[in-house]
Structures are given as C-alpha cells and as structure tokens.
Amino acid sequence: MKKHNFSAGPSILSEYTIKNSAAAVTDFEGTGLSILEVSHRGKEFVAVCEEARARVKELLDVPAGYDVVFLGGGASLQFCMAPFNLLNNKASYLDTGTWASNAIKEAKLFGEVDVVASSKDANYTFIPKDYKVGKDSDYFHFTSNNTIFGTEMRYDPDCDVRLVCDMSSDIFSRPVDISKYDLIYAGAQKNLAPAGVTLAIVREGALGHVERAIPTMLDYRTHIKKESMFNTPPVFPIYAALQTLKWYKDLGGLTVIEKINLEKAAILYDEIDRNKLFRGTVATEDRSIMNVCFVMNDEYKELESGFGAFASAAGMVGIKGHRSVGGFRASLYNAMPKSSVEALIAIMQEFEKQN
Ligand SMILES: Cc1ncc(COP(=O)(O)O)c(C=O)c1O
C-alpha cells in the first residue's frame, strides 16, 4: 500500500533525492566507491559540497557579503552558537513555541535576554504581534515556523537590530529577503536532507563583535574560512542536500514551490474548517503551511483514536500530533505531493460519513 509520509521531521524527501542518494551509496559518481566510504577531502566530494553551497545561494538569492556553511550538531547547537558568536550584552527573543523557548534558555547562558513577547499562556496558538525590540539589543531572534504548534511567520520582519532566525522547518518553502538577516540557521531534516547537517547563512559583518573567546568548533568563522571542511562534515546528508537543491531548481525555484505549498495547505485547512469532526488549533492568520495541526471537535473527542487508526490503515504515516498539542499534525513539507494531501482529505471525508 502507498504510504503518505506526514512526519514532522525527519520527514519526507523527494523521490529524486532518495533515488540519487541511494545510487551514490552503491557508486558515488563513477568512483567505484560508496558515498558512505569516500574521503571528504577527495575532489569529488569537495565539488559536491561547493556545489551545494552555491545552489543554496542561488535558490535563496543570497546577496554578496554572506557565507553559507554546513555544520553538525543540529539546530539545537545553533541555539548556543548564535549567542556565543553574536550576544555581547543583551538579545531580544520572540517566544512562539518549544523551539523558541529552548533557544531562549541557551541565550540566557551568554547575557541578558529580553523576551519581547510570548504566547506561552495560550499554548502558543498564535504569533504575538505587538512587541518592540529595543535598539540596545545585539540581535532579535525568532522562529519562522513553529513545527510543534503549527504557526508560522511567513514574512521577513523589519528590525533595527541584527536579525537571527531559526528556519529549520520552513526554509526553502518560500522566497526570503536574505538581506534583512544576519544569521539564518536550519536543521536539514525537514526541507533539505536526512538528519545530520545544519545549514547556516551568515552575514560576514555580523561576526567578530563579541568580547568572549569562542571555542574553535563553535566559531562560525572557523567553518566559513574552511568552507565547511574544518573537520569531517556529514558527507552523506550533504550529498542528499545537493540532490534536493537540484530538484528545487528543476521545479522552478522558490516562487513556484511557495505557490504549490500554499495550494496544498489551503485545501487541507479548507477541509478542516468544513468537516464537522475537526477544527484547527491556531489563529487563522498565523496558520503554518508546513505543519497543519488539528483536533477533533469537542463533541467528537472520543473518535480521536479511531480516526488515528483509520488514517493509519489507509497509509497515512506520522499524523499524530505532538504531545503538547494532541490531536493530529500533517506536515506538508516541499516534497509532499498534493496527491497525498488529497488522499488525507479523502479519508477525513470518509470518516465523517461513517460517523
Ligand atoms: C523549528 C525547529 N527548531 C529546532 C529544532 C531542533 O532541531 P535539531 O533536532 O536538529 O536540533 C527543530 C526540530 O524539529 C525545529 O522544528
């Protein structure tokens, strides 16, 4: 039976990425070796890494004066690396969910943190809008897409101070005005590659302003200078990332991808709003187009596990909501075909008919 992978991350990758990555496991670009066993210093892999960085720049239209690096440690290490490299006295953070609050916790180890607004008291069901970022902050940090709660800031905010963003779960889902940002980071395991590599896009001028000593591995400048080859990088995830980046270009780039993403999310939200069994969990204007969270309406609460089983029997994978929200979460990352969203909608309609 066809499986429809709605997992929040690690998550669906394109067939193109999986097919080409699988082929490279057997024979990496005619070398007669597996990608899993080649030296990262060999010319073939150095070329892969260079091309992947160049394609990130091309796809996101990264202006001059920025560096693109592949790092280890997941997005969670960026919660620490960002303040390590950028926070001298004070930083401002927007608290929109679990990942944002994890980032806040780490930043507090390095200086004063001004949480400019939080929707925690409402279980992060909306994105706070009325907040002010003090001009005395070293930077303002926000999470563009809240993977667990299903809210998203699908715009690049104006800001008087340096702008830092965790784009782990919506990078490459839309065009971004990179020139507004000083640092963007994203774990790969949603819209890019298997887990194991983290992408960072850093404005050159943002670095070198903190007084503290920075351990070599945690200093962005180390990885920029050595073009992501200071130590052994995650070779296979970077190879897979390159395949995804090629696929994105073939699809027509981020404007086309955003249009498809908007369509996929719209048909699913329309069904949630129409279907008597379900309701969305977050403010309509803040709905994420990557992670669609929904629960059973109160009068149908007892049907929740039944719907889970029904969906799973129909090939739907990974739609159980995170424990802090409950209900269901369908993650519609770039590689998710519209036909899978339609398949989910069809079973929601079928379950409604049966109940
Ligand atoms: C928005 C966001 N930030 C950070 C993380 C943590 O990423 P990692 O597991 O790579 O540390 C996640 C993981 O799902 C995420 O969704």
Side-chain angles (χ1 to χ4, degrees), residues 11 34 43 46 49 78 144 150 174 183 272-273 342:
S11 46
S34 167
K43 67 176 186 330
V46 169
C49 194
Q78 297 304 303
S144 51
R174 64 173 177 94
L183 169 64
I272 291 165
D273 292 341
E342 287 163 348

Side-chain angles (χ1 to χ4, degrees), residues 45 50 63 95 117 167 193 218 257 266 302 307:
F45 182 72
E50 263 174 28
D95 180 21
M167 285 195 192
L218 299 183
I257 290 171
E302 77 285 1
F307 179 69

Side-chain angles (χ1 to χ4, degrees), residues 139-168:
Y139 62 85
F140 171 54
H141 177 284
F142 73 106
T143 312
S144 51
N145 184 65
N146 299 284
T147 324
I148 292 176
F149 297 93
T151 57
E152 186 174 18
M153 292 168 68
R154 218 152 20 77
Y155 50 90
D156 309 304
D158 292 316
C159 193
D160 291 332
V161 301
R162 297 193 190 286
L163 194 56
V164 176
C165 184
D166 174 1
M167 285 195 192
S168 292

Side-chain angles (χ1 to χ4, degrees), residues 251-270:
L251 276 181
L254 300 185
T255 308
V256 174
I257 290 171
E258 181 182 34
K259 187 166 168 283
I260 300 169
N261 285 333
L262 286 167
E263 282 167 17
K264 288 186 295 184
I267 57 171
L268 183 52
Y269 281 120
D270 282 351

Side-chain angles (χ1 to χ4, degrees), residues 8-9 73-77 79 99-100 143 145-148 166-169 185 187-190 197-198 333:
S76 298
L77 186 62
F79 297 162
W99 299 114
T143 312
N145 184 65
N146 299 284
T147 324
I148 292 176
D166 174 1
M167 285 195 192
S168 292
S169 53
Y185 60 87
Q189 63 271 22
K190 285 94 157 79
V197 66
T198 302
Y333 298 121

